[in-house]
Amino acid sequence: MSAPTVRGTAIGRDTARIDGAAKVRGAATYAAEFAPTGLVHAGLVQATVPSARIRGIDSAAARAVPGVLAVITHEDAERLEDLPTSGMTGDWHMPLSDDVVHYVGQHVAIVVAESPEAVREARALVRVDYERLEPTLIHDADFEALTAVAVLARGHEDSSDHERGDVDAALADEGAIVVDEVYATANLTHSPMEPHATVAEWANGTLTVHESTQGVQSDASQLATAFRLDADQVRVVCPYVGGAFGNKGALWPHTLLAVMAARRLARPVKLVLTRPQTYSSVGGRPRTVQRVRLAATPEGALTAIAHDSINPTAVTTDWLESCTRSTSATLYASPNARCTQRVARTHVNPPTFMRAPGETPGTFALESAMDELAIAVRMDPLELRRRNHADRSPETGQPWSGKHLLECYDRGAAAFGWAQRTPEPRSMREGGELVGWGMATAVFPGIRRAASANVRIDGEGGVRVRIAAADLGTGAYTVCALVAADVLGVEVDRTSVELGDSDLPTGPLAGGSCTTATAGEAVAAASRTVRAKLLALAAADPGSPLAGLEPDAVDAVGGSLVARHDPSRSLTFEEILAAAGEESIEAEVGSELDAETSETYAMQTHGAHFCEVRIDPLDPRVRVSRVVSVMDVGRVINP
């Protein structure tokens, strides 16, 4: 689906990313590239067993390496304040707080030296003596076995499950067509181009941290708690992120250790995770095992959905992969539904957010079961989904704020050529390959959080936008510039944007695909306010061509305020400020979704995927040869 172009405005134009040139020329500065005076380097020693007590750590050889400044272990580490388990903390167990090992990859020491080479040499010389304990590990995908050890996730007791109607009765109905299947998904690891990196510096009792993070303000808040500081004593800076898919959304132990080491040595410390440490200590998507039971009439109308999910989690967290509440509870119209979500605590490293956590594995299971049901009722899988379209939220009964899923189905099917599909197995061939066509529904919550933005117009007509959002490479710099330019009627190249600093006005953590909706609304509100302030200055001057005009009678066009019904009455931003004797004018405005809207409407994003897979039966080699996706994304800010 091509994005519409809104001519004459900034929003909707195909605009080159304003941060692109700096990135391709190497001018964008990432966390590990900050080098304050006196910088030293750090590296981590990690546990090699999943469950143990540490009998002792021999660091004598490591300390003897030239350039080594410290080897910090649980025996002499600073004791940190526990962080709230309800916050954005990747591991609830504070690092080096005791002698217990909970998973392979847990940090058991930090080495600090004058050079990265000395750190690498010293790390390899640290010897840890373990008293091994029996770990709890889960090796199979047997749903019944997992159910026996599964528990409610701490902090999710009131939000894990959903039930409506009488699911058991609908499943037991003799006339129902029933599908009962178990699906397993693998654990997945993050691998962003930029590794996790921290540069921590203390000065006069205040802490500055350059961090690769999706949330500068949430990191700053947690660091203040952990190190018993006031909020204004911590600043976290991250102007650019070299890729992030969720595991830079939480504060992880390595950051706490870098800050601890910097305070111990009274010198700035740089700590960059190695690529293997990325896979063992900062989380990924956990495995899931899901049972999906569907009941339907012979005509394909769903009468029951039962979706139960269990994921292994760490003993030091209760990460819940929310596979059912955000998918089966809300996607299809069924009078009876039951969704449960549980965790099984094991000695593995803590899982975390990863690219639509819950929705990705959850829709895989649900949509696979829908395909099985389509076969059972002898119905085209697209027609089955159309037949069970939910005109209102099945979970809450609220009307949708907007939903165009049926149009997504229609456009996708037409573009893909779905009508030419034949349903019989092995009936579609091309050359020597078997060809399979499939489709699935996509769903994701429509999220908007609270935020504030500062917008300033200077005496030369330039616009500056400031908000503590993060740009993961997803275009937030450009989105904020486009929104401000649109409201103020200026060209995008007259607009500068500052992001990624916890000292800036409140911005959203970059997660849940909410930055554009959240930061964009805040920037729009601040831009409207500063435009109104400009008009107030001009309208107050009796000799001004805009004297006496109300805001709804004036447009912002080309860096000027112009009377809507008489374009000859206009003033540039520079002229207004000069006449008022002001060097600049600014506004900082907060924005959040109002309670009436959130209580009235259900908000979800929907879409449809169509996919072609080819299999060479002699190899057998499998390849995805064609995908068509049609998404109902709302208003496109930048195509």
Side-chain angles (χ1 to χ4, degrees), residues 82-398:
D82 286 340
L83 294 174
T85 57
S86 59
M88 299 295 291
T89 310
D91 189 340
W92 298 347
H93 177 259
M94 290 297 95
L96 307 187
S97 58
D98 55 34
D99 61 354
V100 181
V101 172
H102 299 282
Y103 54 90
V104 172
Q106 179 179 319
H107 309 315
V108 295
I110 178 170
V111 176
V112 188
E114 296 283 0
S115 69
E117 293 78 12
V119 169
R120 284 196 293 270
E121 181 180 354
R123 281 178 53 222
L125 296 173
V126 175
R127 297 290 179 261
V128 184
D129 181 20
Y130 298 107
E131 176 193 346
R132 290 174 179 259
L133 304 175
E134 188 66 29
T136 300
L137 298 173
I138 296 174
H139 301 286
D140 58 45
D142 182 88
F143 189 80
E144 296 305 323
L146 279 173
T147 300
V149 297
V151 296
L152 276 168
R154 287 167 287 186
H156 292 271
E157 291 86 355
D158 297 329
S159 60
S160 287
D161 298 347
H162 166 76
E163 186 163 4
R164 62 179 184 265
D166 190 337
V167 171
D168 294 330
L171 289 169
D173 188 319
E174 290 184 359
I177 308 295
V178 176
V179 167
D180 186 346
E181 298 288 347
V182 173
Y183 302 94
T185 64
N187 64 296
L188 300 172
T189 56
H190 296 258
S191 192
M193 287 190 294
E194 178 200 22
H196 289 250
T198 305
V199 176
E201 181 178 16
W202 291 86
N204 302 317
T206 64
L207 171 65
T208 300
V209 178
H210 293 277
E211 176 79 357
S212 182
T213 177
Q214 295 171 232
V216 288
Q217 289 180 325
S218 62
D219 280 7
S221 174
Q222 291 180 96
L223 287 168
T225 299
F227 288 91
R228 303 174 181 88
L229 301 170
D230 294 332
D232 61 1
Q233 291 178 278
V234 182
R235 182 185 180 202
V236 176
V237 181
C238 181
Y240 298 101
V241 185
F245 313 101
N247 74 343
K248 291 179 181 176
L251 184 75
W252 292 98
H254 70 271
T255 304
L256 296 165
L257 290 175
V259 173
M260 180 192 298
R263 181 141 79 172
R264 167 80 66 90
L265 296 170
R267 291 180 67 176
V269 168
K270 177 191 289 187
L271 173 59
V272 181
L273 293 191
T274 66
R275 186 61 69 186
Q277 288 170 345
T278 300
Y279 305 138
S280 61
S281 62
V282 288
R285 192 193 303 280
R287 291 194 298 129
T288 74
V289 181
Q290 303 173 61
R291 183 185 183 190
V292 181
R293 288 171 289 168
L294 304 177
T297 66
E299 295 73 34
L302 284 166
T303 57
I305 301 173
H307 189 172
D308 305 294
S309 175
I310 303 171
N311 68 265
T313 195
V315 296
T316 59
T317 69
D318 261 12
W319 172 264
L320 177 68
E321 192 76 0
S322 183
C323 294
T324 70
R325 281 298 299 270
S326 57
T327 58
S328 292
T330 189
L331 188 47
Y332 295 115
S334 172
N336 308 294
R338 182 171 62 235
C339 302
T340 70
Q341 303 173 139
R342 300 290 185 269
V343 297
R345 299 192 187 110
T346 68
H347 286 89
V348 296
N349 61 304
T352 193
F353 307 97
M354 187 172 184
R355 298 300 287 185
E359 287 84 9
T360 293
T363 50
F364 160 73
L366 173 62
E367 291 300 278
S368 297
M370 287 290 285
D371 284 346
E372 298 288 349
L373 181 62
I375 294 170
V377 298
R378 299 181 179 274
M379 183 176 291
D380 181 278
L382 177 55
E383 177 56 31
L384 177 67
R385 289 165 171 85
R386 282 195 180 110
R387 189 159 297 190
N388 290 286
H389 179 270
D391 297 327
R392 301 173 73 90
S393 168
E395 183 178 15
T396 66
Q398 296 169 305

